[in-house]
Amino acid sequence: MTDPVFFRARSRLAVADITRLTGAEPIEGLSADIAVERVAPLDQAGEGDLSFLENPHYLPMLATSKAALILISPKFLDRAPKSAPLMVAREPYRAFAQIGIALFPEAARPQSFFGAKGVSPGAVVHPEARLEIGVTVDPGAVIGPRAEIGAGTIIGANAVIGPDVRIGRDCSISANAVIQHSLIGNRVIIHSGACLGQDGFGFSMGPRGHLKVPQVGRVVIQDDVEIGAGTTVDRGANRDTIVGEGTKIDNQVQIGHNVMVGRHCVLVAKVGISGSTVLEDFVVMGGASATVGHIRIGMGAQIAGAANVKDDVPPGARMAGTPAQPLGDFARELALLKRLVKETRVRSDTKNEG
């Protein structure tokens, strides 16, 4: 318990390495001999640690930080102590991420829980399954008939890959994930406990009871998608459920049947998307927001946390509240409500004093 270090750096990165990797430039007089082998926040960083500053809230920490190197935005450079070991980066957080991946590549995607290479003892791989050379399968994993898995992919402990599933190359399917009726692209990360391809919620409802509607579509996950722990993606009812390339999905998100999620969308924890909804490219949905079914959210729209969307949203719109409305209208309503409450309280206090 005295040394809880789960990720150790593969190498040390000197100032020149960081410039080559990120384009960040050292300030005048910074020693070229400085090297980093860890990452840390400004207030906890010490010798050998890299940190960054992109949020002005943390500016006061610059004066006391003991970080070996600090990535900083150009707009804050004139407010930094002259003695700070700074490298100027146009996007410090992005540069910080690039360096983190170089130092700790194993932290960028789930690895084998068993430290295995190849198919581990205790894994169950159907003889009709096809695994390219370089696939890792942890103990307890089950891979069904005719499943195909590409080179460099890791299948975690107790994960279940159903019949005919296709998984591309360099993917990570973490422990206890369940994937069925799905086509998965390359470099996809699926975290622990996620379930893809289960039935969508489809019933013909009526006074004589609710008749199940067979869900015969698939789930299609394009390249470079990441899906968080405990997230569920229902297979389509009569067409496919699709998640576009580069989309990042947080933990405990629910995506209903026939949903189409565009490219490079961001869905934060506990988002719920009802069936047959379309999200165009670069949509962002904040935590615990949700949609009704059969609506379209336009390209680049932003849905605030806990908002509930019941109508189509135009491209680029910013929505908040329940039911969701343009952010400016929502803010004005809140201000008006606050003023009415204050006025009511004043009248009530005046009446009581009288």
Side-chain angles (χ1 to χ4, degrees):
M1 298 296 286
T2 58
D3 188 22
V5 178
F6 296 102
F7 298 104
R8 299 185 184 277
R10 281 196 174 180
S11 61
R12 290 166 58 87
L13 295 178
V15 170
D17 300 321
I18 292 172
T19 297
R20 187 165 50 251
L21 185 64
T22 69
E25 292 291 342
I27 61 170
E28 186 177 353
L30 185 70
S31 172
D33 295 331
I34 295 175
V36 295
E37 57 186 352
R38 294 179 303 274
V39 294
L42 283 169
D43 60 335
Q44 296 180 15
E47 184 179 351
D49 289 335
L50 172 81
S51 194
F52 74 99
L53 175 69
E54 192 166 284
N55 188 325
H57 177 77
Y58 300 104
L59 269 168
M61 294 183 183
L62 277 179
T64 57
S65 179
K66 295 180 173 56
L69 279 176
I70 301 171
L71 300 165
I72 189 170
S73 172
K75 63 184 178 182
F76 297 134
L77 194 56
D78 60 347
R79 300 166 65 181
K82 301 299 182 184
S83 60
L86 303 177
M87 295 189 70
V88 182
R90 190 167 56 117
E91 298 177 279
Y93 188 43
R94 189 175 188 89
F96 181 78
Q98 290 173 306
I99 295 164
I101 291 172
L103 289 174
F104 307 103
E106 293 85 0
R109 65 171 184 147
Q111 301 296 307
S112 167
F113 280 57
F114 195 60
K117 298 291 183 183
V119 179
S120 301
V124 180
V125 180
H126 195 279
E128 294 180 13
R130 296 178 57 192
L131 278 60
E132 289 187 336
I133 294 172
V135 172
T136 295
V137 185
D138 272 359
V142 175
I143 299 176
R146 301 173 303 281
E148 297 183 5
I149 302 175
T153 290
I154 299 169
I155 308 297
N158 298 320
V160 179
I161 311 301
D164 300 298
V165 165
R166 305 288 191 270
I167 299 175
R169 293 173 176 166
D170 298 314
C171 297
S172 287
I173 313 300
S174 197
N176 297 306
V178 177
I179 303 176
Q180 53 187 325
H181 311 294
S182 297
L183 306 178
I184 312 293
N186 298 319
R187 301 174 301 279
V188 171
I189 296 173
I190 299 176
H191 288 277
S192 297
C195 295
L196 279 64
Q198 65 281 343
D199 283 16
F201 189 73
F203 298 89
S204 175
M205 300 183 183
R208 293 178 294 169
H210 309 314
L211 180 64
K212 187 176 185 66
V213 178
Q215 310 287 291
V216 297
R218 307 172 299 182
V219 168
V220 178
I221 308 295
Q222 296 179 358
D223 293 348
D224 300 303
V225 169
E226 183 159 351
I227 297 176
T231 285
T232 52
V233 182
D234 297 344
R235 70 175 181 264
N238 47 19
R239 57 184 173 86
D240 294 337
T241 301
I242 300 174
V243 178
E245 67 172 299
T247 284
K248 309 304 180 188
I249 301 174
D250 199 358
N251 301 336
Q252 298 181 344
V253 170
Q254 159 64 16
I255 297 177
H257 62 194
N258 296 355
V259 166
M260 296 182 65
V261 178
R263 299 173 302 145
H264 306 293
C265 294
V266 175
L267 308 180
V268 184
K270 298 185 179 179
V271 160
I273 304 178
S274 296
S276 299
T277 291
V278 175
L279 275 61
E280 296 181 1
D281 298 346
F282 292 97
V283 167
V284 176
M285 295 188 66
S289 60
T291 77
V292 301
H294 306 275
I295 64 171
R296 177 179 289 267
I297 299 180
M299 179 182 292
Q302 298 179 10
I303 311 301
N308 289 279
V309 184
K310 70 177 185 67
D311 298 305
D312 289 351
V313 174
R318 301 171 69 196
M319 309 291 286
T322 299
Q325 58 184 312
L327 183 60
D329 294 347
F330 177 71
R332 283 188 289 272
E333 284 190 8
L334 284 181
L336 178 60
L337 182 60
K338 184 176 181 179
R339 189 174 70 193
L340 288 173
V341 169
K342 183 177 180 180
E343 290 173 354
T344 301
R345 185 181 297 118
V346 169
R347 286 197 297 270
S348 177
D349 292 345
T350 301
K351 183 178 177 180
N352 291 337
E353 290 172 1

